[in-house]
Structure formats: structure tokens, C-alpha cells
């Protein structure tokens, strides 16, 4: 199987909860880097806002 198709998320959207730090942040960054859209959610709105602007 073609690896590009296997890991293609282009045009898809993911909701990542806990996206301001740790594993949630890493998943958000990776998904975005692979071409996907990311909706980030976290209780720490200040930290989340800063991270969302970087992505």
C-alpha cells in the first residue's frame, strides 16, 4: 500500500481534546503537518490560544 495514501489526512478534520500540551498538542501538530484541519479544545484557554496561533 502507498504510504502517502495510508497517512493522508488532507481535507479531514480532527477534534483534539487536551490540545494545549502533552500528547494532545503533539497530535494536533502532527495532524496539521500532514495536511489535516484541527479543532483544538482544552480547559486552559490562555495556553491553548497561544498554541493555536502557532499552528
Amino acid at each position: 500500500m502507498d504510504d502517502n495514501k495510508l497517512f493522508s489526512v488532507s481535507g479531514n478534520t480532527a477534534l483534539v481534546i487536551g490540545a494545549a500540551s502533552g500528547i494532545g498538542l503533539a497530535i494536533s501538530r502532527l495532524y496539521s503537518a500532514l495536511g489535516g484541519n484541527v479543532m483544538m479544545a482544552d480547559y486552559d484557554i490562555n495556553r491553548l490560544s497561544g498554541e493555536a496561533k502557532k499552528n
Side-chain angles (χ1 to χ4, degrees):
M1 178 176 275
D2 184 11
D3 287 344
N4 291 333
K5 287 185 179 183
L6 181 64
F7 294 107
S8 176
V9 296
S10 183
N12 293 329
T13 302
L15 170 60
V16 181
I17 300 171
S21 63
I23 294 171
L25 178 57
I27 290 170
S28 296
R29 289 178 175 168
L30 178 60
Y31 203 85
S32 179
L34 292 173
N37 301 308
V38 181
M39 294 173 46
M40 301 169 73
D42 200 290
Y43 68 91
D44 187 346
I45 193 70
N46 293 326
R47 190 172 196 176
L48 180 63
S49 179
E51 291 300 335
K53 290 175 184 175
K54 292 178 186 177
N55 290 328

